[in-house]
Amino acid sequence: MEVVIVQDAAAGGELIAGSIADLLRRKPDALIGVATGSTPLPIYQALSSLVGSGALDASEARVAQLDEYVGLPQGHPESYRSVVLREVVEPLGLKESSFLGPDGSAEDVAEACEAYDRALWQAGGVDLQLLGIGTDGHIGFNEPCSSLASRTRIKTLTEQTRVDNARFFGGDVDQVPRHVITQGIGTILEARHLVLLATGEGKADAVAQTVEGPLAALVPASALQLHQHATVVVDEAAASKLKLADYFRATYAAKPDWQGL
Ligand code: PGA
């Protein structure tokens, strides 16, 4: 995988937004897999600026959710569908009809998971999948010891993840759902390009294990080692535990511009 160390979260957001913009200029209806949480927000802000300034027309782009809480009422402001509508679909002027996501309020959750996996396939697959990383090394909501071959399915959140996400629910961990639907690791690995952004010191251990540790279900993000086009963008704080940081810096500095991310 390629590791790109940037100064801060804003620089990471701009770099990744630039890569998405390049993709959309080549393929206007590209399917972008979007992640939620705090980390990707600078990407969406940078993309909105590009659209607002007229430098990018994203109106044909399609987006697909990575994961969703189970059991929140439809329209709940913290459902990931609502978050993606608010942070991505509306600011970028995308058509709501071009937005794919799993149905977290379905009565038959197993069927909803299978239907979503199929829908991604029928849509031609994800061109670029954005990822965050949990402090426990999860991608999507694939918690430690998730099968590296897993498909979209229901998962139970770890206590750590529910504590991490309580800030979106007024600080009350009891309000954070226990169950989620998440694209599986096998599903995620089918995207043509994976781009993981990690910022802040709290992610430094998970990043080091992902990039330099062994491939292990215990650190689900380490599955990126299996992908032929995976890019990990980290700020200085999240890179602080990488042994090969100097090598990664030198490699990126010497990279030909035409290669992009
Ligand atoms: P965060 O979440 O960006 O809010 O830290 C990351 C994740 O859980 O994937």
Side-chain angles (χ1 to χ4, degrees):
M1 70 181 81
E2 178 180 30
V3 180
V4 182
I5 302 173
V6 293
Q7 193 60 38
D8 53 27
E14 276 171 33
L15 181 70
I16 296 171
S19 181
I20 295 172
D22 287 345
L23 170 63
L24 290 174
R25 289 183 192 113
R26 287 195 307 275
K27 184 177 179 184
D29 66 345
L31 182 56
I32 313 292
V34 287
T36 44
S38 310
T39 310
L41 296 179
I43 305 172
Y44 306 141
Q45 281 150 11
L47 273 175
S48 297
S49 302
L50 289 173
V51 169
S53 70
L56 175 67
D57 174 7
S59 58
E60 297 302 313
R62 298 172 298 150
V63 288
Q65 253 172 274
L66 183 58
D67 44 20
E68 181 58 280
Y69 290 115
V70 168
L72 290 181
Q74 268 187 2
H76 188 289
E78 292 309 325
S79 78
Y80 284 169
R81 183 175 182 86
S82 299
V83 172
V84 172
L85 282 171
R86 195 163 66 228
E87 305 290 352
V88 183
V89 173
E90 286 162 16
L92 297 187
L94 309 187
K95 299 184 201 82
E96 206 175 321
S97 59
S98 65
F99 172 27
L100 291 174
D103 182 359
S105 58
E107 250 173 55
D108 187 341
V109 177
E111 168 51 28
C113 294
E114 277 178 37
Y116 189 49
D117 224 81
R118 261 195 320 271
L120 291 172
W121 175 257
Q122 283 162 354
V126 174
D127 290 294
L128 186 152
Q129 178 65 56
L130 296 171
L131 297 166
I133 185 170
T135 54
D136 63 1
H138 71 211
I139 46 171
F141 272 137
N142 294 283
E143 297 287 31
C145 296
S146 288
S147 157
L148 299 182
S150 49
R151 309 300 308 179
T152 302
R153 68 215 184 289
I154 188 168
K155 287 291 289 182
T156 305
L157 295 179
T158 62
E159 196 53 24
Q160 178 65 52
T161 297
R162 294 181 69 235
V163 168
D164 286 348
N165 285 8
R167 67 190 192 281
F168 297 113
F169 292 84
D172 182 359
V173 70
D174 291 334
Q175 300 301 313
V176 182
R178 283 179 193 281
H179 294 112
V180 290
I181 293 173
T182 182
Q183 284 190 36
I185 296 176
T187 315
I188 291 170
L189 290 175
E190 284 169 3
R192 295 177 186 89
H193 183 192
L194 301 180
V195 181
L196 185 149
L197 177 62
T199 53
E201 210 179 334
K203 302 291 174 70
D205 279 320
V207 166
Q209 288 175 39
T210 295
V211 174
E212 296 175 343
L215 172 66
L218 191 59
V219 182
S222 68
L224 266 66
Q225 296 176 21
L226 291 169
H227 197 279
Q228 58 184 343
H229 191 186
T231 309
V232 175
V233 179
V234 283
D235 69 356
E236 293 287 350
S240 59
K241 297 197 173 160
L242 288 173
K243 294 191 191 75
L244 296 181
D246 287 344
Y247 170 67
F248 297 137
R249 282 194 187 90
T251 304
Y252 187 65
K255 188 177 185 181
D257 280 345
W258 56 264
Q259 275 190 318
L261 277 187

